[in-house]
Amino acid sequence: MAARFISTSIYDGLVGLILVIMGGIVLVKYWRPTVKPATNRPGLAIFFGLLSGLMVGIGGLSGGATTAAGLSILGLSAVEAAGTATYVLFWMSLVGFISHLMTSTIDWQVGLGLMCGAIVGAVVTPLVLQRLNFVKVNRVLTPLLGLVIIYFGARLLV
């Protein structure tokens, strides 16, 4: 509903800036780990959830990048962030789906193709990850997550 009042260029710029900042924070926290994880800060978790929800509600984005970055900033490992983000995104997606059924049009044919690919990836990835050493996986996934988030943010800024 609010999306029609925000220009695409302003929205893209804001989202891009947020993603670049959050991706940068993920990288900084990876290179300079804090002694105390921030997972016991429910206000910060609510803030990142609100940010993700706004991206979903206003722009139709998945909210996955802000959710994953927020979880990483809260001190979760990349593997823990992936599992927790899946749980959060399920509920956020369900609410978003119901909301868009009532207020928007959905391209069911395109959505079906994307959904099939996403389901295959969502099933295969955890099966592959459980066969790997989580410490080694986190050493690679955490900086990769930060760089991917920065990349998507930078693409929106250009």
Side-chain angles (χ1 to χ4, degrees):
M1 192 178 220
R4 63 182 152 188
F5 300 112
I6 302 171
S7 77
T8 304
S9 61
I10 290 174
Y11 179 77
D12 286 351
L14 286 173
V15 170
L17 185 63
I18 289 168
L19 291 177
V20 168
I21 291 169
M22 291 183 81
I25 293 170
V26 169
L27 290 177
V28 167
K29 285 186 70 67
Y30 174 73
W31 286 314
R32 291 185 183 175
T34 56
V35 177
K36 197 163 100 172
T39 53
N40 60 353
R41 297 179 56 194
L44 197 53
I46 290 169
F47 169 75
F48 289 132
L50 178 62
L51 197 56
S52 296
L54 287 171
M55 288 184 173
V56 170
I58 294 173
L61 298 175
S62 71
T66 50
T67 301
L71 292 169
S72 181
I73 292 167
L74 286 170
L76 275 67
S77 70
V79 175
E80 290 173 319
T84 307
T86 301
Y87 163 70
V88 171
L89 292 172
F90 168 78
W91 290 106
M92 194 166 39
S93 296
L94 182 62
V95 170
F97 174 68
I98 292 168
S99 298
H100 284 282
L101 272 178
M102 294 185 286
T103 61
S104 300
T105 58
I106 296 173
D107 188 328
W108 294 99
Q109 185 175 8
V110 171
L112 183 62
L114 286 168
M115 183 179 60
C116 289
I119 288 171
V120 169
V123 170
V124 169
T125 303
L127 295 174
V128 170
L129 285 177
Q130 82 181 51
R131 299 185 187 284
L132 302 174
N133 179 328
F134 282 172
V135 174
K136 290 180 181 177
V137 169
N138 282 320
R139 260 189 247 143
V140 174
L141 280 184
T142 302
L144 182 63
L145 173 69
L147 291 171
V148 167
I149 292 168
I150 289 171
Y151 170 77
F152 284 121
R155 292 281 309 222
L156 288 171
L157 290 173
V158 180

